[in-house]
Amino acid sequence: MDVLMGLLAALLWGGTDFMVGLNARAVGVQRAVFFSQTLGLLLMSLLLVVFPAFLLKLTGAAPGDWGMGVLAACFTLCGALALSKAFSIGKASIVAPVVTSYGVVTTLLAWLGGERLSGLQLVCIGLCVVGVILSSITRGSDTPHHVEPRRSIAYALLGALLYGTSLWLQGHFTLPRLGTVGMLWLGYLVGVSLLLVLMLSRGGSLKPPAPRHAFALAGTSLMNLGGFSAFAFGAMAGSVSVVTVISTLSGGIAAILGYLFFKERLAPVQVVGVTLVLLGAMVLHVKA
């Protein structure tokens, strides 16, 4: 079951990564994230109403747990904005694998917290760093006009840093106390609230997107939630490490989708870089 759920999570998250760039280019980065998170907030609120046990766990948490949850949610929101920007100006075949390097961030934070790193973990961190460098090497001859390789990788690395920090905070401080559904609800609530203030202060448009864009945004949000659900179910029914490792294949799936639908071609050195990032990230999750 854990293998099946890990594969399902990878497929859904890979599809999510692929769609993020399309949504951002169609309606703008902030609007895309805002409407996707609004749908997530509505669905999580419905779950809290239908299953009171989730709500009781959330309301029974201490104020400090709520504070850490809000902090983690802020990191998640900033990470979502950074990744949306990265996918909107970069190739999914490069950006998605680079994002999987968030495992490096969680590992380094664990090390700063007192955990010891093995030689294999240090090697994997080195592989990810070398892979990112190789992935950023471009020749520019057949690059589409909207693609900005260096900036997209910078935003992808920023997103990985923010997501990795958020996941570390959640794993150590909030998920055991707020619960998965409660933390997701709080994350969406903080994200929607902050984006609403940001967009109104800057004169951003809150006009609902056109129907075809709305369907794309809804589909992306549902795929993301489906990925989280598959991951959580697989972790409860089997091995957390197995589900986590297999789910990191989402970067490769997004890269394949980018090639199939947009004919995103990579130079040989970039293929090597992407492979190193994926390999390093997978082995890091095995040893986590």
Side-chain angles (χ1 to χ4, degrees):
M1 182 61 71
D2 47 9
V3 174
L4 180 61
M5 289 297 102
L7 285 173
L8 180 58
L11 285 170
L12 291 170
W13 278 336
T16 300
D17 288 344
F18 174 72
M19 290 296 297
V20 162
L22 294 177
N23 293 334
R25 286 193 289 271
V27 302
V29 171
Q30 291 184 3
R31 287 182 72 206
V33 176
F34 174 77
F35 286 111
S36 294
Q37 296 224 340
T38 298
L39 177 58
L41 177 61
L42 292 174
L43 291 175
M44 289 301 102
S45 298
L46 180 62
L47 281 178
L48 290 177
V49 172
V50 175
F51 299 100
F54 294 143
L55 182 59
L56 288 174
K57 187 175 182 65
L58 181 63
T59 55
D65 300 328
W66 279 78
M68 293 302 293
V70 170
L71 179 61
C74 290
F75 278 108
T76 299
L77 172 63
C78 294
L81 291 171
L83 292 184
S84 185
K85 182 66 175 180
F87 280 110
S88 70
I89 62 174
K91 294 182 178 181
S93 50
I94 293 179
V95 172
V98 169
V99 172
T100 61
S101 63
Y102 68 83
V104 172
V105 179
T106 55
T107 301
L108 290 176
L109 287 173
W111 171 68
L112 290 173
E115 294 184 20
R116 299 186 65 179
L117 298 183
S118 66
L120 181 57
Q121 286 175 308
L122 291 173
V123 170
C124 291
I125 291 174
L127 286 178
C128 288
V129 172
V130 173
V132 169
I133 294 173
L134 294 179
S135 299
S136 66
I137 298 175
T138 59
R139 301 232 156 80
S141 57
D142 57 350
T143 301
H145 70 279
H146 73 274
V147 172
E148 301 177 49
R150 301 278 175 85
R151 287 186 66 212
S152 67
I153 290 177
Y155 276 111
L157 287 173
L158 177 60
L161 172 64
L162 293 165
Y163 269 134
T165 303
S166 176
L167 290 173
W168 181 79
L169 289 171
Q170 291 180 51
H172 282 73
F173 301 105
T174 62
L175 285 175
R177 298 171 179 84
L178 300 179
T180 303
V181 174
M183 186 61 229
L184 282 172
W185 176 84
L186 181 60
Y188 284 127
L189 177 64
V190 171
V192 170
S193 301
L194 290 180
L195 276 175
L196 184 61
V197 172
L198 179 65
M199 293 172 70
L200 289 176
S201 65
R202 294 187 174 184
S205 174
L206 294 176
K207 179 182 177 181
R212 64 189 182 95
H213 296 148
F215 281 119
L217 286 166
T220 303
S221 184
L222 291 174
M223 281 194 294
N224 189 38
L225 284 174
F228 275 113
S229 300
F231 181 89
F233 184 77
M236 290 187 294
S239 168
V240 175
S241 61
V242 170
V243 179
T244 302
V245 171
I246 295 177
S247 68
T248 58
L249 292 173
S250 60
I253 291 170
I256 292 172
L257 291 173
Y259 174 78
L260 291 176
F261 287 93
F262 294 135
K263 303 302 179 185
E264 294 181 350
R265 301 184 182 278
L266 304 181
V269 67
Q270 291 177 308
V271 174
V272 173
V274 167
T275 303
L276 288 178
V277 172
L278 286 174
L279 179 61
M282 290 181 68
V283 178
L284 266 180
H285 283 298
V286 170
K287 304 307 290 185

